[in-house]
Amino acid sequence: MSLLDREASGVVMTPDNIRTKRLPLAVNLGIAVAGLAIAAAVVYGFGIGNYVLVVVLGVVFYLIGLQIVAGRIEGPRTARDRMWKTLIYAACLLAVLPLASVVWTLVSKGVQRLDGNFFGSSMNNIGARDPEGGAYHAIIGTLEQVGVATLIAVPLGVLGAIYLVEYGRGRFANTVRFFVDVMTGIPSIVAGLFILSFWVLIVSPWFNNGTPRFSGFAASLALTVLMLPTIVRSTEEMLRLVPGPLREGAYALGVPQWKTILQVVLPTALPGIVTGVMLAVARAAGETAPVLLVAGGAASINFNPFEGGQSSLALYVYQQAGDASRYAPARAWTAALTLVAIVLILTIAAKLLARRNSLSK
């Protein structure tokens, strides 16, 4: 009679019921401590680095020791599995550490100027020795420029993706896909130069008595050029993920193709589309070169995006980071924190709205 035949009644052979030797937690921790100690002795004994090298060598020594000790206790197969699992956890930790470091640095240094003056005033008439001055004008510029760019780019991008997925066939569709892929990696300075040479120098003089004029709308056009490829590509991929039977079922009921796209395909792909749009918005909100080239980066408050120069939070951070004033770095860090907070709030709001719409269908 085999081992399976001798199983107790009602007992299933699962990994939880199979007793094997396991590496105790205390031994695992001891290997880690020993690895760090050996690494510290090597690094500080020979004077070849600091605590970063100690941690790196400590992980290496820990993996070597874990392989040896676990191989003797659990067997070579389980030891290899444990080592690779440890490598995966270490890789995840290494990926999270830079993000956590950036967030901690941003928050710790950005809270210095979180006050009413920063959010309620501009840099107009603020000298190098003046501790006041805020980013109200830059916040207004960012919201208006990104908002106008989103209003232009989202309909064009979504409609372009619908054409490529639902209607596009042949050489023209392949050409559109090719240029969308090329535009995805276009430098922001190129988009700014394009709008500068076309809109600012050629079109805007028609409305300003022959004089070229910077404006927030010109910055929005440059940001639109940067947002379009991201929206088109992400929306195209989301539309392709919609199951074919959903379309076929609607067609079988006699629903026209345009209504199927509007009422079946788009609602199904909406969460992914919103994610792609917010990625494009985040990129546009962080661009500096287009705003500097076509909006001028004014220090005063301007609510009209179609007339006069405007600033943005990204440009404000760039200007304050290069300012010689001892009060400028605090303004730069707070503006950077504000920019991240705005993008985070918009992303959460868009996600919640998309989720609510999908649940209500």
Side-chain angles (χ1 to χ4, degrees):
M1 183 180 294
S2 65
L3 180 61
L4 295 176
D5 295 333
R6 295 199 302 267
E7 272 190 19
S9 177
V11 178
V12 182
M13 296 296 290
T14 63
D16 295 332
N17 295 328
I18 300 176
R19 296 182 178 180
T20 58
K21 294 182 179 180
R22 304 290 297 176
L23 185 68
L25 179 61
V27 177
N28 202 341
L29 293 176
I31 297 173
V33 172
L36 288 175
I38 296 173
V42 172
V43 171
Y44 293 119
F46 291 96
I48 57 176
N50 54 14
Y51 68 94
V52 177
L53 186 58
V54 170
V55 173
V56 174
L57 288 180
V59 172
V60 175
F61 292 147
Y62 167 72
L63 292 175
I64 296 175
L66 182 66
Q67 178 68 17
I68 295 174
V69 176
R72 292 182 176 274
I73 296 178
E74 299 176 329
R77 184 174 182 178
T78 306
R80 284 194 298 270
D81 177 73
R82 181 181 290 274
M83 185 187 70
W84 284 108
K85 186 184 298 184
T86 304
L87 285 174
I88 293 173
Y89 287 146
C92 179
L93 183 62
L94 288 176
V96 171
L97 277 178
L99 177 61
S101 176
V102 169
V103 172
W104 171 255
T105 304
L106 194 60
V107 173
S108 61
K109 295 187 177 182
V111 297
Q112 301 178 25
R113 284 298 314 276
L114 283 178
D115 50 47
N117 179 265
F118 182 82
F119 294 103
S121 63
S122 67
M123 291 299 296
N124 197 26
N125 297 324
I126 299 296
R129 298 183 179 181
D130 195 340
E132 303 297 329
Y136 181 62
H137 64 297
I139 296 173
I140 295 299
T142 295
L143 294 178
E144 290 186 350
Q145 293 162 20
V146 175
V148 173
T150 303
L151 291 177
I152 299 174
V154 171
L156 293 177
V158 172
L159 290 175
I162 290 175
Y163 166 76
L164 292 176
V165 175
E166 303 292 339
Y167 299 99
R169 301 292 185 273
R171 182 176 301 177
F172 179 73
N174 293 332
T175 303
V176 173
R177 290 190 184 94
F178 172 77
F179 280 106
V180 168
D181 291 336
V182 171
M183 288 179 62
T184 303
I186 186 175
S188 59
I189 190 70
V190 175
L193 288 172
F194 168 70
I195 298 301
L196 176 66
S197 61
F198 171 69
W199 181 266
V200 176
L201 299 180
I202 297 178
V203 179
S204 67
W206 297 353
F207 307 98
N208 299 290
N209 299 322
T211 303
R213 178 174 292 182
F214 293 148
S215 65
F217 181 72
S220 298
L221 294 179
L223 298 180
T224 300
V225 174
L226 298 174
M227 293 175 64
L228 265 176
T230 303
I231 296 176
V232 172
R233 291 299 296 166
S234 60
T235 304
E236 181 184 1
E237 295 302 324
M238 291 302 104
L239 294 179
R240 291 187 184 280
L241 291 178
V242 176
L246 291 179
R247 296 181 176 89
E248 295 169 0
Y251 298 153
L253 295 174
V255 180
Q257 185 176 9
W258 67 268
K259 189 174 289 188
T260 300
I261 296 172
L262 188 63
Q263 297 184 356
V264 177
V265 177
L266 286 180
T268 304
L270 183 61
I273 295 175
V274 170
T275 300
V277 170
M278 294 315 301
L279 287 174
V281 168
R283 182 190 178 185
E287 291 295 345
T288 303
V291 183
L292 180 62
L293 282 174
V294 300
S300 59
I301 300 172
N302 180 15
F303 290 97
N304 187 358
F306 299 98
E307 184 176 354
Q310 269 190 341
S311 184
S312 68
L313 282 171
L315 181 58
Y316 180 85
V317 171
Y318 170 76
Q319 291 172 338
Q320 293 299 312
D323 199 315
S325 173
R326 64 191 181 102
Y327 304 107
R331 299 190 195 110
W333 282 111
T334 306
L337 179 60
T338 304
L339 178 59
V340 173
I342 290 175
V343 173
L344 179 62
I345 292 172
L346 292 176
T347 302
I348 294 175
K351 286 285 189 179
L352 292 177
L353 182 61
R355 182 181 179 184
R356 180 180 178 183
N357 289 339
S358 62
L359 291 177
S360 62
K361 295 295 182 181

